[in-house]
Amino acid sequence: LIYNYNISRKLLLKNVEESTRHLSASAVNKIESFFSEIEKTTQNAASIIIQSDSIDLQSHRIIKDIVLSNPEIYGSCIACKPIISNGDTILYAPYYYKTNKKLSFKNLAEKNYHYISWDWYRIPAHEHRGLWTEPYFDEGGGNALMTTYAVPAYKNKGKNSDFFGVVTADVSLQWLNEMLNNIHLTENAYVFLISNTGNILSY
């Protein structure tokens, strides 16, 4: 009886472990696909926006459509690089986001926001790469807990590239929680989403 118990227990634990690995892999694929689609959407928007010499009506339409057409995206912004004119620094960052299921607009160039100091602008601008930010509260902007995918945009590519600005897409942590709640594994399984530095994005 003891022998049969030990053998059965080992087989059961092995089956549970394999089942859990498969369920985990499935959940990871769903989440990675979700983030990958947001990255592609933002990168495509950046490639279209840089075709104009300035932020025009078409550029506004693009980021508006990103927010309206993607329920998972909370907000989107085009943060232009600072321009020096007559000794003054000119900033411009049109931002569309959702509030109470309605589309709202804000220019993040306000002095009390100072977008060029935020990680979502500063890191892509200086390191020339797209990234997902650590979770943060966007006080003065979208006023929500979120994570942001930000990608730098250039007029030209290669050695003569001309930095234009940063294009972003925000995902609220509340929406991430709802998404994870819809991933059903087993009765006693729990899903956590953790950033590269160990901060919990959603649980």
Side-chain angles (χ1 to χ4, degrees), residues 98-116:
K98 296 167 183 168
T99 53
N100 299 322
K101 298 183 179 180
K102 294 182 180 180
L103 188 68
S104 298
F105 172 79
K106 185 179 290 185
N107 183 5
L108 298 183
E110 298 174 354
K111 290 183 179 179
N112 61 345
Y113 190 80
H114 199 63
Y115 67 82
I116 60 175

Side-chain angles (χ1 to χ4, degrees), residues 17-36:
E17 183 178 348
E18 290 180 356
S19 176
T20 304
R21 288 184 185 277
H22 289 309
L23 290 170
S24 298
S26 176
V28 167
N29 287 335
K30 288 180 181 179
I31 294 170
E32 285 185 344
S33 176
F34 163 78
F35 283 107
S36 177

